[in-house]
Amino acid sequence: MKTMKWLLRREFWEHKGAFFWAPVAIAAAMVLFIGGGFMYTMAFGGHGTVQFNGHNVVDIQGFPPALRYKVAHIVASGYLGIAAPLFLVMAVVVFFYCLSALHDDRRDRSILFWKSLPLSDRDTVLSKAVTALGVVPLLFIAIAVVTGLVLLLLGMISAAGKGLNLFAPVLTEPNLYLGPLYLLAFLPLYMVWALPTVGWLLMVSSWARSKVFLWAVGIPLVSVVLLKWFNFLVGQVSNSVINVDWFVDQVVMRGLLGLVPGIWMSEASINALNERQGLDPAMLLGLSYGTLASPGVWIAAAVGAGMIYAAMRLRRWRDEG
């Protein structure tokens, strides 16, 4: 346990720029531009009507109390959604981290130093998988929560400057305080869905001698091309062809895009959310966890775990530069 703690610290300090400073810089840019837009609107924006659900409402200073609490509920329930770009950045950071995690120390021969220490290949690979699946998402969640709260505060200050005071109704909304807990509740689900991608990237990273990105992305894409060509040839003489669309959705997309949060949301789930006024975090959480009822999710997770095990075995033998 103590060894794993120090291995995780090593991963953080070696990649602090990507794991911490990159999201902080993007969060600062969001606060500057979006929050600055709120402040500009307060200072120079004119008084006017507010459009709500496609209908023009009275002047902002004459907002009906019932509608004010409705707006406060929507704001308190969805304020973390404004930090969504951070989680797209997280997917990119984790993707390239996993690609280089087991390849770079072979390329620069530092693997010889690490293998001279009493550290097993199992612990080393597991520390990188835990970093990708747990440590990095937790860091991004913390930064996203702070960013969302800062932008929420600036937005409410801007609205108050125009005569719409949302402080009291927003501060009494339970979802304001439950929002960070909802994000944390998504983490186990994210781990399950991201496991195949992390396993695939770590396995390629431990195996490829060079051009890791081309191997990781090229093999699935070339497989799709070959299957389509096979279907074209076989289709000339038979109707028995391979379901390439299924292969693309369940293998290629799951293997390459599993790090993108929300990839588990189906079109039906998105339509169900759109039918409600504002974001309902509890409903979103329920629909998301409902995807775990599919056996395919667990089969993919098991395959991902198998590829992580393969990465451990490969690291034991592939110590070339």
Side-chain angles (χ1 to χ4, degrees), residues 63-110:
F63 231 61
L67 188 55
R68 183 162 66 99
Y69 279 91
K70 195 171 187 179
V71 171
H73 172 73
I74 294 174
V75 170
S77 299
Y79 73 97
L80 290 177
I82 202 169
L86 283 172
F87 294 107
L88 296 179
V89 174
M90 180 192 73
V92 175
V93 167
V94 175
F95 186 94
F96 285 99
Y97 164 74
C98 290
L99 276 182
S100 63
L102 298 173
H103 176 261
D104 285 357
D105 59 358
R106 290 189 294 117
R107 184 181 59 185
D108 60 18
R109 305 294 289 175
S110 63

Side-chain angles (χ1 to χ4, degrees), residues 91 190 193-197 252-261 263-264:
Y190 177 77
W193 276 84
L195 191 56
T197 303
V252 177
M253 300 297 286
R254 287 293 310 278
L256 296 180
L257 299 180
L259 296 171
V260 179
I263 192 174
W264 51 79

Side-chain angles (χ1 to χ4, degrees), residues 112-190:
L112 300 178
F113 168 74
W114 292 111
K115 286 205 170 197
S116 68
L117 300 177
L119 298 173
S120 67
D121 294 311
R122 181 200 63 186
D123 289 344
T124 301
V125 175
L126 280 180
S127 69
K128 297 177 185 297
V130 171
T131 298
L133 293 170
V135 175
V136 178
L138 283 173
L139 288 171
F140 273 79
I141 286 174
I143 295 170
V145 169
V146 173
T147 304
L149 287 173
V150 171
L151 290 175
L152 174 64
L153 177 62
L154 293 176
M156 291 194 299
I157 291 174
S158 176
K162 290 298 183 181
L164 178 59
N165 188 348
L166 294 174
F167 281 95
V170 167
L171 291 175
T172 57
E173 275 290 333
N175 283 338
L176 175 68
Y177 310 100
L178 293 175
L181 299 180
Y182 282 126
L183 275 184
L184 288 174
F186 278 106
L187 185 56
L189 177 71
Y190 177 77

